[in-house]
Amino acid sequence: MTVKLKPKQTIIALDISSLEEIKRLLAIIDKDLFRLKVGKQLFTSQGPKAIDELRSLGFDIFLDLKLHDIPNTVSKSLANICNLGVWMSNIHLLGGQEMVEEASSTVKKLNSDMILVGVTILTSLNENNLVQLGFNSSAEEIAVNLAKLGKQNGIDGVVCSTEDISGIKASLGGDFLTVTPGVRMLQDNDDQKRAGSIYDAIQFGTDFVVVGREITQAKNPEGVLKKIESLIV
Ligand code: C5P
């Protein structure tokens, strides 16, 4: 079965600290085909000005700070994020029901059209790591459970691994968004223990895929981009 990607369904994780390096990469990224993710690495190095620069070039930005703190701190920080004009941002669902509820109502009160998603279980954690952390259920069960908590408390979707997409879509419906990081065109041995292929993620029905180092650390990033572009219809 051939896998097809929609324009802007692929989000490129700009996990790079230097703006110069990012500018070199941006020269080969088409804003009509890809969205960009700014995470903790770029944000702690360049701050909100990185968002302004990328937005001025016409890119949609997913600000991935995975907010996880007491409800008041998360909601005040999210209000600041809404003012940055990003397309999507996130919280960590392990922050609990009150935190999630306050976060989603903050975005609604500001009449912001920013999409708010929740992180379930990091794709770098496997079942052994979860046992070490004191969880007794499987990664998928925890992810589905957290996704339910998110939906009940007003967020738009979740960040989840390839393995968890089907369970989340089956329990929460196709309209509840899934964003899937840790996907690979080629398989690789890095810190993503629950990485899947981009092809599986799309077939399981995810709404967005996130690709980082496979592009940013590639010897030939243009080649990887062209390969992804060849799937876009
Ligand atoms: O380089 P790689 O493709 O593994 O990058 C994945 C990106 O997605 C990173 O920016 C990482 O912070 C992010 N992410 C993740 N797992 C989550 C949530 C976000 O890998 N559960």
Side-chain angles (χ1 to χ4, degrees):
M1 181 179 163
T2 17
V3 164
K4 294 184 170 70
L5 282 163
K6 295 190 214 83
K8 295 192 173 190
Q9 191 173 11
T10 307
I11 304 170
I12 301 177
L14 291 181
D15 293 327
I16 300 172
S17 305
S18 129
L19 218 45
E20 287 316 305
E21 216 179 300
I22 284 172
K23 278 184 186 153
R24 280 200 292 277
L25 196 60
L26 290 181
I28 56 170
I29 300 178
D30 183 339
K31 66 174 170 46
D32 296 319
L33 299 183
F34 297 97
R35 291 183 162 105
L36 302 177
K37 181 168 88 63
V38 173
K40 291 183 168 104
Q41 183 179 349
L42 178 55
F43 201 74
T44 51
S45 134
Q46 303 296 329
K49 79 170 191 293
I51 308 279
D52 293 341
E53 295 218 15
L54 297 171
R55 284 190 65 224
S56 71
L57 296 170
F59 285 100
D60 293 341
I61 311 296
F62 170 19
L63 181 59
D64 173 24
L65 298 181
K66 301 183 182 66
L67 300 180
H68 184 184
D69 210 314
I70 59 168
N72 179 62
T73 306
V74 166
S75 112
K76 297 280 178 355
S77 310
L78 255 186
N80 292 337
I81 290 175
C82 287
N83 287 332
L84 295 176
V86 296
W87 160 73
M88 176 185 275
S89 192
N90 63 3
I91 55 175
H92 203 306
L93 291 169
L94 287 173
Q97 190 263 326
E98 285 84 0
M99 192 205 88
V100 178
E101 201 276 325
E102 261 202 53
S104 68
S105 56
T106 297
V107 177
K108 288 187 184 96
K109 268 186 222 141
L110 291 170
N111 282 327
S112 166
D113 55 7
M114 181 183 79
I115 299 171
L116 182 64
V117 293
V119 174
T120 53
I121 294 292
L122 292 175
T123 40
S124 54
L125 299 178
N126 62 16
E127 305 281 339
N128 285 341
N129 298 125
L130 293 173
V131 170
Q132 279 170 352
L133 292 171
F135 288 102
N136 296 314
S137 315
S138 71
E140 186 181 351
E141 278 168 337
I142 304 168
V144 171
N145 201 31
L146 288 170
K148 279 185 191 153
L149 174 96
K151 188 170 182 187
Q152 281 159 3
N153 288 282
I155 63 169
D156 303 302
V158 285
V159 181
C160 69
S161 86
T162 305
E163 295 160 12
D164 306 333
I165 300 164
S166 307
I168 289 172
K169 288 286 185 189
S171 307
L172 296 160
D175 291 347
F176 193 62
L177 298 174
T178 56
V179 180
T180 306
V183 296
R184 305 281 177 259
M185 298 285 292
L186 319 158
Q187 282 301 326
D188 194 0
N189 290 321
D190 54 31
D191 61 353
Q192 295 284 23
K193 296 180 189 147
R194 293 187 300 128
S197 80
I198 199 166
Y199 309 98
D200 287 344
I202 296 302
Q203 276 182 14
F204 293 151
T206 202
D207 298 282
F208 302 101
V209 286
V210 179
V211 186
R213 287 164 292 182
E214 206 172 29
I215 295 170
T216 56
Q217 306 287 307
K219 285 199 185 82
N220 175 12
E222 205 162 3
V224 185
L225 285 170
K226 288 272 169 280
K227 216 166 163 193
I228 300 176
E229 283 174 21
S230 71
L231 303 176
I232 301 177
V233 286

